[in-house]
């Protein structure tokens, strides 16, 4: 177990807290495995689900911020991600278990998945959708090296959740 990290921490802080080298290519692969599990859970269990919102957000239109979901709904998705994790990702999730039964690793990742869908983030509305993947947090803005190409071929669309063009 490692000490919990706040959800708003940067990707660099997240990786270092997990004991990973932010400059190692294998770390990037691990990060995307963790993120993909959070994306799939978000899409299947949270996306557009008004019934899971806290009462004060019941009339809010999607997309929803992580804070809009009830604590019970968010925790349920965290537990679901843990229960369906691959052996590789579960090893990292085990580092995030807390004495209270929470999991800060999954919570951090799910929060960031929600953050880039909640409509408030300027980068999410631009081609720099995955700017959270930028490791240069020295000035808080950085420049993303993981952004998608601005060109698309006929018959494809940009899947911002996975930062790829799809058919």
């Amino acid at each position: 177990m490692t000490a919990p990290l706040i959800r708003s921490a940067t990707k660099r802080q997240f990786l270092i807290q997990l004991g990973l080298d932010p400059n190692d290519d294998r770390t990037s692969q691990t990060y995307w495995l963790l993120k993909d599990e959070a994306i799939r859970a978000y899409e299947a269990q949270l996306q557009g689900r008004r019934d899971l919102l806290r009462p004060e957000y019941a009339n809010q239109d999607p997309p929803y911020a992580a804070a809009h979901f009830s604590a019970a709904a968010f925790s349920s998705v965290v537990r679901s991600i843990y229960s369906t994790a691959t052996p590789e990702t579960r090893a990292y999730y085990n580092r995030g278990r807390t004495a209270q039964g929470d999991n800060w690793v999954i919570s951090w990742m799910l929060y960031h998945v929600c953050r880039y869908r909640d409509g408030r983030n300027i980068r999410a509305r631009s081609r720099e959708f995955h700017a959270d993947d930028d490791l240069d947090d020295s000035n808080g803005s950085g420049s993303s090296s993981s952004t998608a190409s601005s060109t698309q071929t006929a018959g494809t669309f940009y899947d911002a959740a996975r930062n790829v063009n799809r058919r």
Side-chain angles (χ1 to χ4, degrees):
M1 263 197 286
T2 58
L5 189 67
I6 60 172
R7 291 179 180 174
S8 60
T10 66
K11 178 184 175 186
R12 177 178 290 283
Q13 292 168 325
F14 173 75
L15 295 174
I16 290 170
Q17 191 73 3
L18 280 177
L20 297 170
D21 177 359
N23 300 312
D24 187 329
D25 288 341
R26 291 172 295 182
T27 294
S28 180
Q29 293 169 347
T30 299
Y31 177 81
W32 277 97
L33 289 173
L34 297 168
K35 190 168 191 172
D36 188 57
E37 288 182 352
I39 289 168
R40 285 187 283 122
Y42 172 85
E43 290 173 348
Q45 299 174 48
L46 292 176
Q47 188 172 17
R49 295 284 308 273
R50 188 180 302 268
D51 60 311
L52 300 179
L53 298 177
R54 295 180 3 198
E56 61 267 32
Y57 299 109
N59 294 321
Q60 177 105 10
D61 289 328
Y64 306 120
H68 293 165
F69 294 104
S70 71
F74 198 88
S75 292
S76 176
V77 176
V78 168
R79 286 190 304 276
S80 173
I81 292 170
Y82 183 84
S83 71
T84 60
T86 65
E88 184 174 6
T89 57
R90 178 154 314 180
Y92 292 99
Y93 297 152
N94 284 339
R95 297 178 191 184
R97 294 169 52 194
T98 67
Q100 296 78 25
D102 299 323
N103 192 298
W104 71 262
V105 173
I106 300 171
S107 291
W108 184 95
M109 190 60 74
L110 188 57
Y111 170 87
H112 283 261
V113 167
C114 290
R115 187 178 111 196
Y116 281 86
R117 285 160 179 75
D118 69 14
R120 295 174 299 136
N121 190 288
I122 293 170
R123 289 182 186 161
R125 294 188 301 256
S126 74
R127 300 303 290 170
E128 294 185 25
F129 184 82
H130 286 286
D132 73 319
D133 296 328
D134 181 12
L135 291 175
D136 180 14
D137 63 345
S138 58
N139 65 6
S141 61
S143 62
S144 178
S145 59
S146 301
T147 57
S149 167
S150 60
T151 60
Q152 295 180 353
T153 58
T156 66
F157 68 95
Y158 178 63
D159 180 350
R162 292 178 179 79
N163 196 29
V164 296
N165 288 324
R166 295 183 172 264
R167 294 197 178 275

